[in-house]
Amino acid sequence: MTTPEHPSPSPDPTSKDRVYRSPMGIVGGVALLVIVLWLGLDALLRGEGHTQWLALAALILLVPLVTAFTLRPAVHANEDRLRIRNPLRVIVLPWGQVAALRSGYSNEVVAKSGTKFQLWAIPVSLRARKKAAQRSARAASGRGDRGGRTGGSAGFGGLGFGAPRGDVDADGPMRAETDKVMDDLRELLEQGEHAESAQGEVTVRWAYEVAGPVVAGAVLLVILLAIG
C-alpha cells in the first residue's frame, strides 16, 4: 500500500511536494537486499575461482535491479505537476498535460497525448478494496440499526500498511488506502490543470544509473556462464 511521507521541497520553491511511496515495497526490498547481499558476499568471500566471479556478476545485476523495483519508486505531486519515479524512468507531467488518472488492476496516469504511465509507487490491492467494501457495508448496516451511528476501529491505516484509515469517510463509503491517494491526486489535477504554472511539456528521463549496472551485470553473468 501507499502512504504520504513528510512533504519535501520541489524544484519550484513556491510549491511543496506530497510524496507517496509503498511501505510494503520498501520492506520487501530491504528483505530481498539482505538476502542477496548475504548470499552474494558469502560466495564472494568463501568461494573459489569461477564461483567468486559468478557471485560478483550476480551482485552487480541483482542489487540495482531489486533497488529499482522496490526502494526507488515514488510519486511526487504538487500544485503544478506530477513527478513519477518508476524503476527505470522519471516522468514529469505538468497538470495541464494530464488527461486522466485511472485506477483498475493498476494505477496509471494518462497524458493528453494518449501515453500511459504506470504509478509503481501506488500499487493496487484488490484485497484492501474488498475489505474496505465489506467494512463499509457493515458500517452502513450498523447506521441503519443504530440510527446513524458507526462503529469499528481505526485499524492500521494511519501507519500506511494497507488498512483503510478510519471507519467510514464522512462524505461517502470507506475507501482503500491507495484509492484515497488517487483521490488526492485527482483533486490536485482538478485544481491545477488550468493554472498557468501547470502548463508545459511532458518529460521522460531514463534511469541510466540503474540500467547501466544491470546491463553490465547481465552481460558479465552470461559470459561467465558461457565459458563455464
Side-chain angles (χ1 to χ4, degrees):
M1 294 299 100
T2 307
T3 183
E5 297 176 345
H6 295 294
S8 61
S10 71
D12 181 358
T14 63
S15 179
K16 291 187 176 182
D17 284 358
R18 301 179 188 179
V19 183
Y20 301 94
R21 304 185 72 182
S22 171
M24 294 308 296
I26 293 173
V27 170
V30 170
L32 284 174
L33 282 175
V34 169
I35 294 172
V36 168
L37 290 172
W38 175 35
L39 295 176
L41 292 176
D42 182 71
L44 192 61
L45 296 174
R46 298 187 181 186
E48 296 180 358
H50 195 64
T51 301
Q52 291 179 314
W53 284 104
L54 284 173
L56 178 62
L59 286 174
I60 295 174
L61 170 65
L62 293 176
V63 169
L65 195 63
V66 171
T67 301
F69 281 87
T70 58
L71 306 183
R72 175 181 168 83
V75 172
H76 299 247
N78 62 27
E79 297 174 355
D80 298 329
R81 57 99 180 102
L82 182 68
R83 181 174 179 268
I84 307 165
R85 193 172 69 197
N86 279 347
L88 299 177
R89 294 190 295 178
V90 176
I91 306 106
V92 178
L93 300 100
W95 289 121
Q97 291 293 331
V98 176
L101 288 157
R102 295 178 180 173
S103 296
Y105 291 104
S106 65
N107 289 314
E108 60 186 18
V109 57
V110 183
K112 289 186 176 178
S113 64
T115 307
K116 299 177 183 179
F117 302 101
Q118 187 173 350
L119 304 179
W120 278 82
I122 311 177
V124 168
S125 171
L126 299 180
R127 180 172 176 270
R129 284 181 177 173
K130 182 178 179 180
K131 288 178 64 177
Q134 291 173 342
R135 293 181 62 186
S136 182
R138 287 199 299 267
S141 176
R143 285 198 301 271
D145 294 340
R146 298 188 295 271
R149 295 174 57 192
T150 60
S153 60
F156 295 98
L159 298 177
F161 283 90
R165 289 180 296 204
D167 294 313
V168 180
D169 294 340
D171 56 351
M174 184 179 300
R175 304 274 284 162
E177 188 72 26
T178 53
D179 290 335
K180 288 187 176 185
V181 170
M182 294 299 290
D183 290 341
D184 290 343
L185 295 179
R186 291 188 185 100
E187 184 178 348
L188 286 173
L189 171 61
E190 293 175 1
Q191 294 173 353
E193 61 180 329
H194 301 300
E196 183 178 351
S197 60
Q199 308 306 312
E201 298 298 324
V202 177
T203 62
V204 179
R205 180 182 69 83
W206 287 94
Y208 295 108
E209 67 275 15
V210 175
V214 169
V215 172
V219 171
L220 179 58
L221 190 60
V222 169
I223 293 174
L224 291 171
L225 291 174
I227 64 177

